[in-house]
Amino acid sequence: AVGNSATCIAQGFFIQVGFAVPYYNASLCMLYLCTIRYSMEPKYFARQIEPFLHVWSLGYPLATAVACVTLDLFDASNEKFCWIGDRYEVFALAFSGA
């Protein structure tokens, strides 16, 4: 990777926050499943389920990105981009949602 430590941390942070995209896609799938297949009222879904999906979709990627910055886990060990370093493989698996 090209750049300095600060740009590496910034890139890793935004890659980690980018995991919100597939989580939001999964949330939309949940909405369609509950509405179409199980005939759930949209108001019920909006009040009872949607708040948890927003917290999960935004909160988990943001919290793990902040944790990675705080724990200094981002580095350029794979030479192509900056993300969680090879020596922290356990964190990479846990924080990617895999």
Side-chain angles (χ1 to χ4, degrees):
V2 177
N4 59 27
S5 177
T7 59
C8 186
I9 291 169
Q11 183 183 34
F13 181 86
F14 286 113
I15 288 172
Q16 187 63 32
V17 169
F19 280 104
V21 174
Y23 293 160
Y24 256 110
N25 190 25
S27 297
L28 281 173
C29 291
M30 194 74 138
L31 167 66
Y32 297 141
L33 175 73
C34 290
T35 304
I36 297 168
R37 174 67 177 94
Y38 297 110
S39 303
M40 186 180 290
E41 290 292 323
K43 285 184 180 181
Y44 178 82
F45 186 89
R47 281 192 318 258
Q48 300 297 322
I49 299 171
E50 189 175 343
F52 297 106
L53 294 178
H54 284 296
V55 168
W56 173 64
S57 297
L58 288 175
Y60 183 72
L62 187 60
T64 56
V66 170
C68 287
V69 171
T70 304
L71 297 172
D72 196 30
L73 300 180
F74 295 132
D75 68 17
S77 61
N78 69 4
E79 299 178 8
K80 294 187 181 11
F81 58 91
C82 295
W83 193 52
I84 298 173
D86 293 339
R87 58 191 168 160
Y88 305 113
E89 192 171 316
V90 154
F91 288 104
L93 289 172
F95 289 176
S96 68

Coordinates of all heavy atoms in Angstrom, one line a residue:
A1 N 0.8 -1.2 0.0 CA 0.0 0.0 0.0 C 0.9 1.2 0.0 O 2.0 1.2 0.5 CB -0.9 0.0 1.2
V2 N 0.4 2.3 -0.6 CA 1.1 3.5 -0.7 C 0.5 4.5 0.3 O -0.7 4.6 0.5 CB 1.0 4.1 -2.1 CG1 1.7 5.4 -2.2 CG2 1.6 3.1 -3.1
G3 N 1.3 5.3 1.0 CA 0.9 6.3 1.9 C 1.6 6.2 3.2 O 2.6 5.4 3.4
N4 N 1.1 6.8 4.2 CA 1.7 6.8 5.6 C 0.7 6.1 6.5 O -0.3 5.6 6.2 CB 2.1 8.2 6.0 CG 0.9 9.1 6.1 OD1 -0.3 8.7 6.2 ND2 1.1 10.4 5.9
S5 N 1.0 6.1 7.8 CA 0.2 5.4 8.8 C -1.2 6.0 8.9 O -2.1 5.3 9.0 CB 1.0 5.5 10.2 OG 0.2 5.0 11.2
A6 N -1.3 7.3 8.8 CA -2.6 8.0 8.9 C -3.5 7.6 7.8 O -4.7 7.3 8.0 CB -2.4 9.5 9.0
T7 N -3.0 7.6 6.5 CA -3.8 7.2 5.4 C -4.2 5.7 5.5 O -5.3 5.3 5.1 CB -3.1 7.5 4.1 OG1 -1.9 6.8 4.0 CG2 -2.9 9.0 3.9
C8 N -3.3 4.9 6.0 CA -3.6 3.5 6.2 C -4.7 3.3 7.2 O -5.7 2.5 7.0 CB -2.3 2.7 6.7 SG -2.5 0.9 6.8
I9 N -4.7 4.0 8.3 CA -5.7 3.9 9.3 C -7.1 4.4 8.7 O -8.1 3.8 8.9 CB -5.3 4.7 10.6 CG1 -4.2 4.0 11.3 CG2 -6.5 4.9 11.5 CD1 -3.5 4.8 12.4
A10 N -7.0 5.5 8.0 CA -8.2 6.0 7.4 C -8.8 5.0 6.4 O -10.1 4.8 6.4 CB -8.0 7.3 6.6
Q11 N -8.0 4.4 5.5 CA -8.5 3.4 4.6 C -9.1 2.2 5.3 O -10.2 1.7 5.0 CB -7.4 3.0 3.6 CG -7.9 2.0 2.6 CD -6.8 1.5 1.7 OE1 -5.7 1.3 2.1 NE2 -7.1 1.2 0.5
G12 N -8.4 1.7 6.3 CA -8.9 0.6 7.1 C -10.2 0.9 7.8 O -11.1 0.1 7.8
F13 N -10.3 2.1 8.3 CA -11.6 2.5 9.0 C -12.7 2.5 8.0 O -13.8 2.0 8.3 CB -11.4 3.9 9.6 CG -12.6 4.5 10.3 CD1 -12.8 4.1 11.6 CD2 -13.5 5.3 9.7 CE1 -13.9 4.6 12.3 CE2 -14.6 5.7 10.3 CZ -14.8 5.4 11.7
F14 N -12.5 3.1 6.8 CA -13.6 3.2 5.9 C -14.0 1.8 5.3 O -15.1 1.6 4.9 CB -13.4 4.2 4.8 CG -13.5 5.6 5.3 CD1 -12.4 6.5 5.4 CD2 -14.7 6.1 5.7 CE1 -12.5 7.7 5.9 CE2 -14.9 7.4 6.2 CZ -13.8 8.2 6.4
I15 N -13.0 1.0 5.1 CA -13.3 -0.4 4.7 C -14.2 -1.1 5.7 O -15.1 -1.8 5.4 CB -12.0 -1.2 4.4 CG1 -11.3 -0.7 3.1 CG2 -12.3 -2.7 4.3 CD1 -9.9 -1.3 2.9
Q16 N -13.8 -0.9 7.0 CA -14.6 -1.6 8.0 C -16.0 -1.0 8.1 O -16.9 -1.8 8.3 CB -13.8 -1.4 9.4 CG -14.5 -2.2 10.5 CD -14.4 -3.7 10.3 OE1 -13.5 -4.2 9.7 NE2 -15.4 -4.4 10.8
V17 N -16.1 0.3 8.0 CA -17.5 0.9 8.1 C -18.3 0.5 6.8 O -19.5 0.3 6.9 CB -17.4 2.4 8.1 CG1 -18.7 3.1 7.9 CG2 -16.8 2.8 9.5
G18 N -17.6 0.1 5.7 CA -18.2 -0.3 4.5 C -19.0 -1.6 4.7 O -19.9 -2.0 3.9
F19 N -18.7 -2.4 5.8 CA -19.5 -3.6 6.0 C -21.0 -3.2 6.3 O -21.8 -4.2 6.3 CB -18.9 -4.4 7.1 CG -17.7 -5.2 6.7 CD1 -16.4 -4.8 7.1 CD2 -17.9 -6.4 6.0 CE1 -15.3 -5.6 6.7 CE2 -16.8 -7.1 5.6 CZ -15.5 -6.7 5.9
A20 N -21.3 -2.0 6.5 CA -22.7 -1.6 6.8 C -23.5 -1.9 5.5 O -24.7 -2.1 5.6 CB -22.8 -0.1 7.2
V21 N -23.0 -1.8 4.3 CA -23.7 -2.0 3.1 C -24.4 -3.4 3.0 O -25.6 -3.5 2.8 CB -22.8 -1.7 1.9 CG1 -23.6 -2.0 0.6 CG2 -22.4 -0.2 1.9
P22 N -23.6 -4.5 3.2 CA -24.3 -5.8 3.1 C -25.2 -6.0 4.3 O -26.2 -6.7 4.2 CB -23.2 -6.8 3.1 CG -22.0 -6.1 3.5 CD -22.2 -4.6 3.2
Y23 N -24.9 -5.4 5.4 CA -25.8 -5.5 6.6 C -27.2 -4.8 6.3 O -28.2 -5.4 6.7 CB -25.2 -5.0 7.9 CG -24.0 -5.8 8.3 CD1 -23.1 -5.2 9.2 CD2 -23.8 -7.1 7.9 CE1 -22.0 -5.9 9.6 CE2 -22.7 -7.8 8.3 CZ -21.8 -7.2 9.2 OH -20.7 -7.9 9.6
Y24 N -27.1 -3.7 5.7 CA -28.4 -3.0 5.3 C -29.1 -3.8 4.3 O -30.4 -3.8 4.3 CB -28.1 -1.6 4.8 CG -28.5 -0.6 5.9 CD1 -27.5 0.2 6.5 CD2 -29.8 -0.4 6.3 CE1 -27.8 1.1 7.5 CE2 -30.1 0.5 7.2 CZ -29.1 1.2 7.9 OH -29.5 2.1 8.8
N25 N -28.4 -4.4 3.3 CA -29.1 -5.3 2.3 C -29.8 -6.4 3.0 O -30.9 -6.8 2.7 CB -28.0 -5.8 1.3 CG -28.7 -6.4 0.1 OD1 -29.8 -6.2 -0.2 ND2 -27.9 -7.3 -0.5
A26 N -29.1 -7.0 4.0 CA -29.8 -8.1 4.7 C -31.0 -7.6 5.5 O -32.0 -8.3 5.6 CB -28.8 -8.7 5.7
S27 N -30.9 -6.4 6.0 CA -32.1 -5.8 6.7 C -33.3 -5.6 5.7 O -34.4 -5.9 6.1 CB -31.7 -4.4 7.3 OG -30.7 -4.6 8.3
L28 N -33.0 -5.1 4.5 CA -34.0 -5.0 3.5 C -34.6 -6.4 3.2 O -35.9 -6.5 3.0 CB -33.5 -4.3 2.3 CG -33.3 -2.8 2.3 CD1 -32.7 -2.3 1.1 CD2 -34.7 -2.2 2.5
C29 N -33.8 -7.4 3.1 CA -34.3 -8.7 2.8 C -35.2 -9.2 4.0 O -36.2 -9.8 3.7 CB -33.1 -9.7 2.7 SG -32.2 -9.5 1.2
M30 N -34.8 -8.8 5.2 CA -35.7 -9.2 6.3 C -37.0 -8.5 6.2 O -38.1 -9.1 6.5 CB -34.9 -8.8 7.6 CG -35.5 -9.4 8.8 SD -35.1 -11.1 8.9 CE -34.7 -11.2 10.6
L31 N -37.0 -7.2 5.8 CA -38.3 -6.5 5.7 C -39.2 -7.2 4.6 O -40.3 -7.4 4.9 CB -38.0 -5.0 5.2 CG -39.2 -4.2 4.7 CD1 -40.2 -4.0 5.8 CD2 -38.7 -2.9 4.1
Y32 N -38.6 -7.5 3.5 CA -39.4 -8.1 2.4 C -39.9 -9.5 2.9 O -41.0 -9.9 2.6 CB -38.6 -8.2 1.1 CG -38.2 -6.9 0.6 CD1 -37.0 -6.7 0.0 CD2 -39.0 -5.8 0.7 CE1 -36.6 -5.5 -0.5 CE2 -38.7 -4.6 0.2 CZ -37.5 -4.4 -0.4 OH -37.1 -3.2 -0.9
L33 N -39.1 -10.2 3.6 CA -39.5 -11.6 4.0 C -40.7 -11.4 5.0 O -41.7 -12.1 4.9 CB -38.3 -12.3 4.7 CG -38.6 -13.6 5.4 CD1 -38.9 -14.7 4.3 CD2 -37.5 -14.0 6.3
C34 N -40.5 -10.5 6.0 CA -41.6 -10.4 7.0 C -42.9 -9.8 6.3 O -44.0 -10.2 6.7 CB -41.1 -9.5 8.1 SG -39.9 -10.2 9.1
T35 N -42.7 -8.9 5.4 CA -43.9 -8.3 4.8 C -44.6 -9.2 3.8 O -45.8 -9.3 3.8 CB -43.5 -7.0 4.1 OG1 -42.8 -6.1 5.0 CG2 -44.7 -6.2 3.5
I36 N -43.8 -9.8 2.9 CA -44.4 -10.6 1.8 C -44.8 -12.0 2.3 O -45.9 -12.5 2.2 CB -43.5 -10.6 0.6 CG1 -43.3 -9.2 0.1 CG2 -44.1 -11.6 -0.5 CD1 -42.2 -9.1 -1.0
R37 N -43.8 -12.7 2.8 CA -44.0 -14.1 3.2 C -44.9 -14.3 4.4 O -45.8 -15.1 4.5 CB -42.7 -14.8 3.4 CG -42.7 -16.2 3.9 CD -43.4 -17.1 2.9 NE -43.4 -18.5 3.3 CZ -44.4 -19.1 3.9 NH1 -45.5 -18.4 4.2 NH2 -44.3 -20.4 4.3
Y38 N -44.7 -13.4 5.4 CA -45.4 -13.6 6.7 C -46.5 -12.6 6.9 O -47.0 -12.5 8.0 CB -44.4 -13.6 7.9 CG -43.4 -14.8 7.8 CD1 -42.1 -14.6 7.5 CD2 -43.9 -16.1 8.0 CE1 -41.2 -15.7 7.4 CE2 -43.0 -17.2 7.9 CZ -41.7 -17.0 7.6 OH -40.9 -18.0 7.4
S39 N -46.8 -11.8 5.9 CA -47.8 -10.8 6.0 C -47.8 -9.9 7.2 O -48.8 -9.5 7.8 CB -49.2 -11.5 5.9 OG -49.3 -12.2 4.7
M40 N -46.6 -9.5 7.6 CA -46.5 -8.6 8.7 C -46.8 -7.2 8.4 O -46.5 -6.7 7.3 CB -45.0 -8.7 9.2 CG -44.8 -7.9 10.5 SD -43.1 -8.0 11.1 CE -43.0 -9.7 11.6
E41 N -47.5 -6.5 9.2 CA -47.9 -5.1 9.0 C -46.6 -4.2 9.0 O -45.8 -4.4 9.9 CB -48.8 -4.6 10.1 CG -50.2 -5.3 10.0 CD -51.0 -4.8 8.8 OE1 -50.9 -3.6 8.4 OE2 -51.7 -5.7 8.2
P42 N -46.5 -3.3 8.0 CA -45.3 -2.5 8.0 C -45.2 -1.6 9.2 O -44.0 -1.4 9.6 CB -45.6 -1.6 6.7 CG -46.5 -2.4 5.9 CD -47.4 -3.2 6.8
K43 N -46.3 -1.2 9.8 CA -46.1 -0.4 11.1 C -45.5 -1.2 12.2 O -44.7 -0.7 13.0 CB -47.5 0.1 11.5 CG -48.0 1.3 10.7 CD -49.3 1.8 11.2 CE -49.8 3.0 10.3 NZ -51.0 3.6 10.8
Y44 N -45.9 -2.5 12.3 CA -45.4 -3.4 13.3 C -43.9 -3.6 13.1 O -43.1 -3.5 14.0 CB -46.1 -4.7 13.3 CG -45.5 -5.7 14.4 CD1 -45.9 -5.6 15.7 CD2 -44.6 -6.6 14.0 CE1 -45.4 -6.4 16.6 CE2 -44.0 -7.5 14.9 CZ -44.5 -7.4 16.3 OH -43.9 -8.2 17.2
F45 N -43.5 -3.8 11.9 CA -42.1 -4.0 11.5 C -41.3 -2.7 11.9 O -40.2 -2.8 12.5 CB -41.9 -4.4 10.0 CG -40.5 -4.7 9.7 CD1 -40.1 -6.0 9.8 CD2 -39.7 -3.7 9.2 CE1 -38.8 -6.3 9.4 CE2 -38.4 -4.0 8.9 CZ -37.9 -5.3 9.0
A46 N -41.9 -1.6 11.5 CA -41.2 -0.3 11.7 C -41.0 0.0 13.2 O -39.9 0.5 13.6 CB -41.9 0.8 11.1
R47 N -41.9 -0.4 14.0 CA -41.8 -0.2 15.5 C -41.0 -1.2 16.2 O -40.3 -0.9 17.1 CB -43.2 -0.1 16.1 CG -44.0 1.2 15.9 CD -45.2 1.3 16.8 NE -45.9 0.0 16.8 CZ -47.0 -0.3 16.1 NH1 -47.6 0.6 15.4 NH2 -47.6 -1.5 16.2
Q48 N -41.2 -2.5 15.9 CA -40.6 -3.6 16.7 C -39.3 -4.1 16.2 O -38.5 -4.5 17.0 CB -41.6 -4.7 16.8 CG -43.0 -4.3 17.4 CD -42.8 -3.9 18.8 OE1 -42.0 -4.5 19.6 NE2 -43.6 -2.9 19.2
I49 N -39.1 -4.1 14.9 CA -37.9 -4.8 14.3 C -36.9 -3.8 13.7 O -35.7 -4.0 13.9 CB -38.4 -5.9 13.3 CG1 -39.2 -6.9 14.0 CG2 -37.2 -6.5 12.6 CD1 -39.9 -7.9 13.1
E50 N -37.4 -2.9 13.0 CA -36.5 -1.9 12.3 C -35.5 -1.2 13.1 O -34.3 -1.1 12.7 CB -37.4 -0.9 11.5 CG -36.6 -0.1 10.6 CD -37.4 0.8 9.7 OE1 -38.7 0.6 9.6 OE2 -36.9 1.8 9.2
P51 N -35.8 -0.8 14.4 CA -34.8 -0.1 15.2 C -33.6 -1.0 15.5 O -32.4 -0.6 15.4 CB -35.5 0.2 16.5 CG -37.0 0.3 16.1 CD -37.1 -0.7 15.0
F52 N -33.8 -2.3 15.7 CA -32.7 -3.2 16.0 C -31.9 -3.5 14.7 O -30.7 -3.6 14.8 CB -33.3 -4.6 16.5 CG -34.0 -4.5 17.8 CD1 -35.3 -4.5 17.9 CD2 -33.3 -4.2 18.9 CE1 -36.0 -4.4 19.1 CE2 -33.9 -4.1 20.2 CZ -35.3 -4.2 20.2
L53 N -32.5 -3.5 13.6 CA -31.8 -3.7 12.3 C -30.9 -2.5 12.0 O -29.8 -2.6 11.5 CB -32.8 -3.9 11.2 CG -33.5 -5.3 11.2 CD1 -34.5 -5.4 10.1 CD2 -32.6 -6.4 11.3
H54 N -31.4 -1.2 12.3 CA -30.6 -0.1 12.1 C -29.3 -0.1 13.1 O -28.2 0.2 12.6 CB -31.4 1.2 12.4 CG -32.3 1.6 11.3 ND1 -31.9 1.9 10.0 CD2 -33.6 1.6 11.2 CE1 -32.9 2.2 9.2 NE2 -34.0 2.0 9.9
V55 N -29.6 -0.5 14.3 CA -28.5 -0.5 15.3 C -27.4 -1.6 14.8 O -26.2 -1.3 14.8 CB -29.0 -0.8 16.7 CG1 -27.8 -1.2 17.6 CG2 -29.8 0.3 17.2
W56 N -27.9 -2.7 14.4 CA -27.0 -3.8 13.9 C -26.3 -3.3 12.6 O -25.1 -3.5 12.5 CB -27.8 -5.0 13.6 CG -27.1 -6.1 13.0 CD1 -26.0 -6.8 13.5 CD2 -27.3 -6.7 11.7 NE1 -25.6 -7.7 12.6 CE2 -26.3 -7.7 11.5 CE3 -28.2 -6.5 10.7 CZ2 -26.3 -8.5 10.3 CZ3 -28.2 -7.2 9.6 CH2 -27.2 -8.2 9.4
S57 N -27.0 -2.8 11.7 CA -26.4 -2.4 10.4 C -25.4 -1.3 10.5 O -24.4 -1.3 9.8 CB -27.5 -2.0 9.4 OG -28.4 -3.1 9.1
L58 N -25.6 -0.3 11.3 CA -24.7 0.8 11.5 C -23.8 0.7 12.7 O -22.6 1.0 12.6 CB -25.5 2.1 11.6 CG -26.1 2.6 10.3 CD1 -26.9 3.9 10.6 CD2 -25.1 2.9 9.3
G59 N -24.4 0.2 13.8 CA -23.6 0.1 15.0 C -22.4 -0.9 15.0 O -21.3 -0.5 15.4
Y60 N -22.7 -2.1 14.5 CA -21.6 -3.1 14.5 C -20.4 -2.6 13.6 O -19.3 -2.7 14.1 CB -22.2 -4.4 14.0 CG -21.2 -5.5 14.1 CD1 -20.7 -6.0 15.3 CD2 -20.6 -6.1 12.9 CE1 -19.8 -7.1 15.4 CE2 -19.7 -7.1 13.0 CZ -19.3 -7.6 14.2 OH -18.3 -8.6 14.3
P61 N -20.6 -2.2 12.4 CA -19.4 -1.8 11.6 C -18.7 -0.6 12.2 O -17.5 -0.5 12.2 CB -20.0 -1.5 10.2 CG -21.3 -2.3 10.1 CD -21.8 -2.3 11.5
L62 N -19.5 0.4 12.7 CA -18.9 1.6 13.3 C -18.2 1.2 14.5 O -17.0 1.7 14.8 CB -20.0 2.6 13.5 CG -19.5 4.0 13.9 CD1 -18.5 4.6 12.9 CD2 -20.6 4.9 14.2
A63 N -18.8 0.4 15.4 CA -18.1 0.1 16.7 C -16.8 -0.7 16.4 O -15.8 -0.5 17.1 CB -19.0 -0.7 17.5
T64 N -16.9 -1.6 15.5 CA -15.6 -2.4 15.2 C -14.6 -1.6 14.5 O -13.4 -1.8 14.7 CB -16.0 -3.7 14.3 OG1 -16.6 -3.3 13.1 CG2 -16.8 -4.7 15.1
A65 N -15.0 -0.6 13.7 CA -14.0 0.3 13.1 C -13.3 1.1 14.1 O -12.1 1.3 14.1 CB -14.7 1.2 12.0
V66 N -14.1 1.7 15.1 CA -13.5 2.4 16.2 C -12.6 1.5 17.0 O -11.5 1.9 17.4 CB -14.6 3.1 17.0 CG1 -14.0 3.7 18.3 CG2 -15.3 4.2 16.2
A67 N -13.0 0.3 17.3 CA -12.2 -0.6 18.1 C -10.9 -0.9 17.4 O -9.8 -1.0 18.0 CB -13.0 -1.9 18.3
C68 N -10.9 -1.1 16.0 CA -9.7 -1.3 15.3 C -8.7 -0.2 15.4 O -7.5 -0.4 15.5 CB -10.0 -1.6 13.8 SG -10.8 -3.3 13.5
V69 N -9.3 1.1 15.3 CA -8.4 2.2 15.4 C -7.8 2.3 16.8 O -6.6 2.5 17.0 CB -9.2 3.5 15.1 CG1 -8.3 4.7 15.4 CG2 -9.5 3.5 13.6
T70 N -8.7 2.1 17.8 CA -8.2 2.1 19.2 C -7.2 1.1 19.5 O -6.2 1.4 20.2 CB -9.4 2.0 20.1 OG1 -10.4 3.0 19.8 CG2 -9.0 2.1 21.6
L71 N -7.4 -0.1 19.0 CA -6.4 -1.2 19.3 C -5.3 -1.3 18.3 O -4.4 -2.2 18.4 CB -7.2 -2.6 19.2 CG -8.3 -2.8 20.3 CD1 -9.1 -4.0 20.0 CD2 -7.7 -2.8 21.7
D72 N -5.2 -0.3 17.4 CA -4.1 -0.2 16.4 C -4.0 -1.5 15.6 O -2.9 -2.1 15.5 CB -2.8 0.1 17.1 CG -1.8 0.7 16.1 OD1 -2.2 1.3 15.1 OD2 -0.6 0.4 16.4
L73 N -5.1 -2.0 15.0 CA -5.1 -3.2 14.3 C -4.9 -3.0 12.8 O -4.5 -4.0 12.1 CB -6.4 -4.0 14.5 CG -6.8 -4.3 15.9 CD1 -8.2 -5.0 15.9 CD2 -5.8 -5.2 16.5
F74 N -5.0 -1.8 12.3 CA -4.9 -1.6 10.8 C -3.4 -1.5 10.5 O -2.6 -0.8 11.1 CB -5.6 -0.3 10.4 CG -7.0 -0.4 10.6 CD1 -7.7 0.7 11.2 CD2 -7.8 -1.4 10.1 CE1 -9.1 0.7 11.3 CE2 -9.2 -1.4 10.2 CZ -9.8 -0.4 10.8
D75 N -3.0 -2.3 9.4 CA -1.7 -2.1 8.8 C -1.7 -2.6 7.4 O -2.7 -3.1 6.9 CB -0.6 -2.9 9.6 CG -0.7 -4.4 9.6 OD1 -1.4 -4.9 8.7 OD2 -0.1 -5.0 10.5
A76 N -0.6 -2.4 6.7 CA -0.5 -2.7 5.3 C 0.2 -4.0 5.0 O 1.0 -4.1 4.1 CB 0.2 -1.6 4.6
S77 N 0.0 -5.0 5.9 CA 0.7 -6.3 5.8 C 0.4 -7.0 4.5 O 1.2 -7.9 4.1 CB 0.4 -7.1 7.0 OG -0.9 -7.5 7.1
N78 N -0.7 -6.8 3.8 CA -1.0 -7.6 2.6 C -0.6 -6.8 1.4 O -0.8 -7.3 0.3 CB -2.5 -8.0 2.5 CG -3.4 -6.8 2.3 OD1 -2.9 -5.7 2.2 ND2 -4.6 -7.0 2.3
E79 N 0.0 -5.7 1.5 CA 0.6 -4.9 0.4 C -0.3 -4.3 -0.6 O 0.1 -3.6 -1.5 CB 1.7 -5.7 -0.3 CG 2.8 -6.1 0.6 CD 3.9 -7.0 -0.1 OE1 3.8 -7.1 -1.3 OE2 4.8 -7.5 0.6
K80 N -1.6 -4.7 -0.6 CA -2.6 -4.2 -1.6 C -3.5 -3.1 -1.0 O -3.8 -2.1 -1.6 CB -3.4 -5.3 -2.1 CG -2.6 -6.3 -3.0 CD -3.5 -7.2 -3.6 CE -2.8 -8.3 -4.5 NZ -1.5 -8.5 -4.4
F81 N -3.9 -3.2 0.2 CA -4.7 -2.2 0.9 C -4.5 -2.4 2.4 O -3.9 -3.4 2.9 CB -6.2 -2.4 0.5 CG -6.7 -3.7 0.9 CD1 -7.3 -4.0 2.1 CD2 -6.7 -4.8 0.0 CE1 -7.9 -5.2 2.4 CE2 -7.2 -6.0 0.2 CZ -7.8 -6.2 1.5
C82 N -4.9 -1.4 3.2 CA -4.8 -1.4 4.6 C -6.1 -1.9 5.2 O -7.2 -1.3 5.0 CB -4.5 0.0 5.1 SG -2.9 0.6 4.5
W83 N -6.0 -2.9 6.1 CA -7.1 -3.4 6.9 C -6.5 -4.0 8.1 O -5.4 -3.8 8.4 CB -8.0 -4.3 6.0 CG -9.3 -4.6 6.7 CD1 -10.2 -3.7 7.2 CD2 -9.9 -5.9 7.0 NE1 -11.3 -4.3 7.7 CE2 -11.1 -5.7 7.6 CE3 -9.4 -7.2 6.7 CZ2 -11.9 -6.7 8.0 CZ3 -10.2 -8.2 7.1 CH2 -11.5 -8.0 7.7
I84 N -7.2 -4.9 8.7 CA -6.7 -5.6 9.9 C -5.5 -6.5 9.5 O -5.6 -7.3 8.6 CB -7.8 -6.4 10.6 CG1 -8.9 -5.5 11.0 CG2 -7.2 -7.2 11.7 CD1 -10.1 -6.2 11.5
G85 N -4.4 -6.3 10.2 CA -3.1 -7.0 9.8 C -3.2 -8.5 10.0 O -4.0 -9.0 10.7
D86 N -2.3 -9.2 9.3 CA -2.3 -10.7 9.3 C -2.1 -11.2 10.7 O -2.6 -12.3 11.0 CB -1.1 -11.2 8.4 CG -1.4 -10.9 6.9 OD1 -2.6 -10.7 6.6 OD2 -0.5 -10.8 6.1
R87 N -1.4 -10.5 11.5 CA -1.1 -11.0 12.9 C -2.3 -10.9 13.8 O -2.3 -11.5 14.9 CB 0.1 -10.3 13.5 CG -0.1 -8.8 13.6 CD 1.2 -8.1 13.9 NE 0.9 -6.7 13.7 CZ 1.5 -5.7 14.2 NH1 2.6 -6.0 15.0 NH2 1.2 -4.5 13.9
Y88 N -3.4 -10.3 13.3 CA -4.6 -10.2 14.1 C -5.7 -10.9 13.3 O -6.9 -10.4 13.2 CB -5.0 -8.7 14.3 CG -3.9 -7.9 14.9 CD1 -3.3 -6.9 14.2 CD2 -3.5 -8.1 16.2 CE1 -2.3 -6.1 14.8 CE2 -2.5 -7.4 16.8 CZ -1.9 -6.4 16.1 OH -0.9 -5.6 16.7
E89 N -5.5 -12.1 12.8 CA -6.4 -12.8 12.0 C -7.8 -13.0 12.8 O -8.8 -13.0 12.2 CB -5.8 -14.1 11.5 CG -6.6 -14.8 10.5 CD -5.9 -16.0 9.9 OE1 -4.7 -15.8 9.6 OE2 -6.5 -17.0 9.7
V90 N -7.7 -13.3 14.1 CA -8.9 -13.5 14.8 C -9.8 -12.3 14.8 O -11.0 -12.5 14.7 CB -8.5 -13.9 16.3 CG1 -9.5 -13.5 17.3 CG2 -8.1 -15.3 16.4
F91 N -9.2 -11.1 14.9 CA -10.0 -9.9 14.8 C -10.6 -9.8 13.4 O -11.8 -9.3 13.3 CB -9.2 -8.7 15.2 CG -8.9 -8.6 16.6 CD1 -7.6 -8.9 17.1 CD2 -9.9 -8.2 17.5 CE1 -7.4 -8.8 18.4 CE2 -9.6 -8.1 18.9 CZ -8.3 -8.4 19.4
A92 N -9.9 -10.1 12.4 CA -10.4 -10.0 11.0 C -11.6 -10.9 10.8 O -12.6 -10.4 10.2 CB -9.3 -10.3 10.0
L93 N -11.6 -12.1 11.4 CA -12.7 -13.0 11.2 C -13.9 -12.5 12.0 O -15.0 -12.4 11.6 CB -12.3 -14.4 11.7 CG -11.4 -15.1 10.8 CD1 -11.0 -16.4 11.4 CD2 -12.1 -15.4 9.5
A94 N -13.7 -12.0 13.3 CA -14.7 -11.6 14.1 C -15.3 -10.2 13.6 O -16.6 -10.1 13.6 CB -14.2 -11.4 15.5
F95 N -14.5 -9.3 13.2 CA -15.0 -8.0 12.8 C -15.5 -7.9 11.4 O -16.2 -7.0 11.0 CB -13.9 -6.9 13.0 CG -13.6 -6.6 14.4 CD1 -12.5 -5.8 14.7 CD2 -14.3 -7.2 15.5 CE1 -12.2 -5.5 16.1 CE2 -14.0 -6.9 16.8 CZ -13.0 -6.0 17.1
S96 N -15.3 -8.9 10.6 CA -15.9 -8.9 9.2 C -17.3 -9.5 9.2 O -17.9 -9.5 8.2 CB -15.0 -9.7 8.3 OG -15.0 -11.1 8.6
G97 N -17.7 -10.1 10.3 CA -19.0 -10.7 10.4 C -19.1 -12.1 9.8 O -20.1 -12.6 9.6
A98 N -17.9 -12.6 9.5 CA -17.8 -14.0 8.9 C -18.2 -15.0 10.0 O -18.1 -14.9 11.1 CB -16.4 -14.3 8.4

